[in-house]
């Protein structure tokens, strides 16, 4: 049995209303309960995700603090190295001046000995 054009027009005109009455337009109580349960699960998941992010940020902060301490230790070591190098240079300069004085004295003695001969 074939549908007439009038029947097809009637079905097209009322299809939306019928579907809405069945549950697509107005959700049933079970569907609403399921939606609420899903929303609660999503909220819990978001809360858990936020807690994980907070813990991750705390761990990053601790790592940055440890790195900062290591940099401070390295800076202190560099300062100690600089001081040792400066002391070594002063000692070297002192020895160099002593050597210059010694060479000058020897040269003066050689010159003086040459005049006496």
């Amino acid at each position: 049995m074939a549908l007439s054009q009038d029947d097809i027009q009637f079905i097209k005109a009322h299809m939306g209303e019928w579907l809405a009455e069945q549950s697509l337009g107005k959700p049933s109580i079970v569907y609403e309960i399921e939606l609420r349960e899903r929303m609660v699960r999503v909220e819990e998941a978001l809360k858990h995700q936020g807690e994980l992010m907070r813990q991750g940020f705390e761990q990053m902060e601790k790592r940055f603090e440890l790195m900062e301490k290591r940099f401070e230790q390295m800076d202190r070591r560099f300062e100690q190295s600089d001081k040792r190098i400066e002391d070594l240079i002063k000692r070297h300069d002192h020895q160099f001046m002593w050597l210059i004085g010694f060479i000058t004295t020897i040269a003066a003695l050689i010159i003086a000995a040459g005049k006496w001969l």
Side-chain angles (χ1 to χ4, degrees), residues 10-95:
F10 180 78
I11 291 171
K12 282 184 181 179
H14 293 89
M15 181 67 82
E17 293 174 30
W18 295 335
L19 289 174
E21 287 174 5
Q22 287 299 318
S23 76
L24 295 177
K26 301 175 187 174
S28 66
I29 301 233
V30 173
Y31 184 68
E32 286 184 30
I33 291 173
E34 287 178 2
L35 279 179
R36 288 182 185 178
E37 288 175 355
R38 286 171 115 186
M39 287 190 320
V40 168
R41 285 193 302 267
V42 168
E43 288 173 352
E44 289 173 353
L46 286 173
K47 185 178 179 182
H48 180 69
Q49 189 69 24
E51 181 67 24
L52 289 176
M53 289 174 62
R54 188 183 61 76
Q55 289 174 356
F57 289 137
E58 287 175 0
Q59 289 177 353
M60 286 175 55
E61 186 67 30
K62 289 177 185 176
R63 288 182 188 144
F64 285 136
E65 288 173 3
L66 289 173
M67 286 176 57
E68 187 175 330
K69 287 179 183 177
R70 288 181 66 195
F71 285 137
E72 289 173 359
Q73 289 174 350
M74 288 174 59
D75 191 39
R76 276 185 260 141
R77 287 182 188 154
F78 285 135
E79 288 174 359
Q80 291 172 354
S81 296
D82 287 346
K83 186 178 181 318
R84 283 187 287 193
I85 290 171
E86 287 175 8
D87 291 344
L88 183 66
I89 290 172
K90 285 179 185 177
R91 200 168 69 216
H92 181 268
D93 288 347
H94 180 72
Q95 290 174 350

